[in-house]
Amino acid sequence: SMIDLSSFQNPGNQAKKIKKKSETPKPVIDLKDIPAPHKIKATLDEYVIGQEYAKKVMSVGVYNHYKRVATDTMDDIEIEKSNMLMIGPTGCGKTYLVKMLARLLQVPLAIADATSLTEAGYIGDDIESVVSKLLAAADNDVEKAEHGIIFIDEIDKIAKKKNTNQRDVSGEAVQQGLLKLLEGSEVEVPVGATSKNAMVPMVTVNTRNILFICGGAFEGLDSVIKKRTESSSLGFGGKVKSKEDDNNVMKRVVPHDLVKFGIVPELVGRLPVITVLDELDEDALCRILTEPKNSLIKQYTKLFKLDNIDFEITEDAKREIAKRTIEEKTGARGLRSILESVMNEVMFEIPSDDTISKCIITKEAVDGTGKPVIEYRTEQVNKAQ
């Protein structure tokens, strides 16, 4: 049988663009359902240790945003959107905070990496692909997606390249493309795919009510702030710096510092809420190990309970794990890798021995001078003898 070429030429057979219904259904978010800022922060406190200032700023920002969405500007005064920028070192809880917020508010969340984005026409993800990820998270429900949260991570990696004459397709060009998304515009995105082509149906999504949260470590921003704030420390009028001043440098960030870093002024202007997260100290890391609802110690206790074994970790061992994490500069996510390396041998042996009743992790087991203490069930040991 011959191929019917007329079907390819007939535009009626091609995939059509899906248009939104003209009817205006009732709003997805009700004003009564939005928790107050203190309730949002209280829930975040259960999962996130420390970062008090960041939690307050985010609670207020999210509450005001969804209040604006719920009322949908009922009068002449139009409320502007308050997109956020989170600055903090790796492993301090930027992504985790956003995940907890989305879970609390029960809204779709898309996490995108700015490093994979390129200007339209180049190999890589288009800027609109972040909206198609949100649409997929909302089960292709446009109404639901238009009230979601998009978290763009590693935003500092798309800073303007300095002293370059070439086209900056993954730096400044991406920032320019993000402007219209952050401001609020109608974007055509493919349904069920990340790239546009003729065979994929398209849908129009309005980004006016989508909350954009950008995050990044901004390595080197502290030197930009120091240049602005510090005069020469030599001579009689020089100021003597303390170590505390060095730790609080990032807290003194102003929008102009971000422009100097390489973020275009238009993008900085569209991120009015800037919050700086603290680097986690030893006490905070020890609390992260035990206090949150899904802390690492609680996870391991549950894993051992499935094998009918008790699990315990000494206070000295927790301190040692926290110290090693600070030395390696890996943040909270480094806690798991240290615990995994300590526990690997024990977790290999335990399922093969029914007589083990308890496992205790000591300081010696963490620093490598000893092994975890294992206790045995006396009845079964006697029977075996």
Side-chain angles (χ1 to χ4, degrees):
S1 60
M2 299 292 288
I3 297 167
D4 184 13
L5 293 173
S6 63
S7 63
F8 289 99
Q9 292 165 353
N10 185 6
N13 293 341
Q14 290 184 359
K16 294 187 177 83
K17 289 178 184 176
I18 301 171
K19 289 186 180 175
K20 272 176 68 185
K21 292 175 185 175
S22 57
E23 297 171 16
T24 52
K26 64 176 185 176
V28 176
I29 294 169
D30 188 14
L31 197 56
K32 292 172 189 170
D33 298 337
I34 307 166
H38 69 277
K39 287 183 182 173
I40 297 174
K41 187 184 174 295
T43 311
L44 289 175
D45 285 338
E46 290 177 9
Y47 293 93
V48 183
I49 299 298
Q51 312 298 5
E52 295 300 311
Y53 176 71
K55 285 189 283 194
K56 271 185 187 175
V57 170
M58 292 194 77
S59 302
V60 171
V62 166
Y63 177 70
N64 285 344
H65 174 75
Y66 282 105
K67 205 159 55 167
R68 165 186 177 273
V69 170
T71 53
D72 204 17
T73 58
M74 291 181 286
D75 51 18
D76 298 336
I77 301 164
E78 194 170 332
I79 305 166
E80 293 269 319
K81 193 162 52 153
S82 53
N83 297 316
M84 299 185 210
L85 176 65
M86 299 168 75
I87 300 170
T90 181
C92 68
K94 297 186 292 290
T95 312
Y96 195 65
L97 261 172
V98 179
K99 278 183 181 174
M100 288 302 131
L101 270 177
R103 190 194 290 185
L104 166 65
L105 296 161
Q106 295 180 332
V107 292
L109 167 71
I111 297 174
D113 208 324
T115 48
S116 64
L117 302 175
T118 55
E119 193 181 355
Y122 289 85
I123 292 172
D125 287 342
D126 281 352
I127 289 125
E128 284 87 5
S129 69
V130 297
V131 184
S132 61
K133 277 183 185 173
L134 184 66
L135 191 64
D139 299 323
N140 293 333
D141 183 343
V142 176
E143 188 78 28
K144 207 173 169 187
E146 284 181 350
H147 300 98
I149 298 173
I150 293 178
F151 179 58
I152 303 174
D153 207 359
E154 311 293 354
I155 196 82
D156 55 319
K157 306 299 184 290
I158 58 165
K160 267 197 297 192
K161 308 283 185 293
K162 291 175 178 71
N163 306 324
T164 179
N165 299 322
Q166 296 171 336
R167 191 168 178 81
D168 197 3
V169 294
S170 62
E172 190 181 357
V174 175
Q175 292 187 48
Q176 302 287 359
L178 282 170
L179 297 179
K180 63 178 171 57
L181 283 188
L182 295 175
E183 188 73 32
S185 63
E186 296 210 335
V187 186
E188 283 190 347
V189 291
V191 178
T194 52
S195 59
K196 297 176 182 178
N197 61 62
M199 305 308 290
V200 177
M202 306 285 279
V203 68
T204 305
V205 177
N206 193 334
T207 64
R208 196 172 71 89
N209 289 333
I210 295 173
L211 180 65
F212 285 86
I213 302 173
C214 300
F218 286 88
E219 287 287 333
L221 181 63
D222 52 348
S223 59
V224 176
I225 300 166
K226 278 177 190 174
K227 268 186 190 176
R228 175 179 60 81
T229 55
E230 288 176 8
S231 56
S232 173
S233 58
L234 295 171
F236 292 110
K239 288 182 183 176
V240 180
K241 286 191 302 174
S242 67
K243 202 170 183 184
E244 277 183 39
D245 292 342
D246 280 346
N247 293 339
N248 294 324
V249 164
M250 294 294 264
K251 293 271 171 78
R252 298 202 291 268
V253 68
V254 295
H256 181 67
D257 296 327
L258 297 169
V259 175
K260 280 262 186 185
F261 185 82
I263 308 295
V264 295
E266 299 93 333
L267 186 62
V268 175
R270 283 166 174 79
L271 297 164
V273 182
I274 299 173
T275 175
V276 179
L277 281 81
D278 303 313
E279 197 162 354
L280 297 167
D281 58 7
E282 198 178 302
D283 291 332
L285 288 166
C286 286
R287 288 176 64 203
I288 286 166
L289 274 171
T290 49
E291 285 184 27
K293 270 193 173 180
N294 56 344
S295 70
L296 274 174
I297 304 297
K298 285 172 186 170
Q299 288 176 40
Y300 276 106
T301 306
K302 192 174 181 181
L303 272 174
F304 277 84
K305 210 74 185 166
L306 294 170
D307 285 328
N308 203 20
I309 294 161
D310 295 325
F311 175 72
E312 193 182 300
I313 184 163
T314 63
E315 202 62 44
D316 290 342
K318 289 178 202 168
R319 289 270 160 205
E320 189 62 31
I321 292 167
K323 276 178 191 167
R324 278 186 59 187
T325 308
I326 290 166
E327 282 168 20
E328 292 170 14
K329 294 186 177 178
T330 46
R333 60 170 65 92
L335 294 170
R336 187 172 202 105
S337 61
I338 292 167
L339 257 175
E340 284 286 344
S341 64
V342 172
M343 308 282 293
N344 191 35
E345 196 68 35
V346 180
M347 294 190 92
F348 179 78
E349 289 173 10
I350 278 172
S352 60
D353 194 343
D354 294 336
T355 59
I356 296 171
S357 66
K358 193 174 188 179
C359 172
I360 304 165
I361 303 296
T362 58
K363 181 178 182 285
E364 290 73 31
V366 178
D367 61 23
T369 57
K371 287 187 174 180
V373 177
I374 290 172
E375 292 180 5
Y376 295 89
R377 292 185 178 90
T378 50
E379 304 160 13
Q380 292 189 2
V381 170
N382 294 335
K383 276 182 188 176
Q385 287 170 351

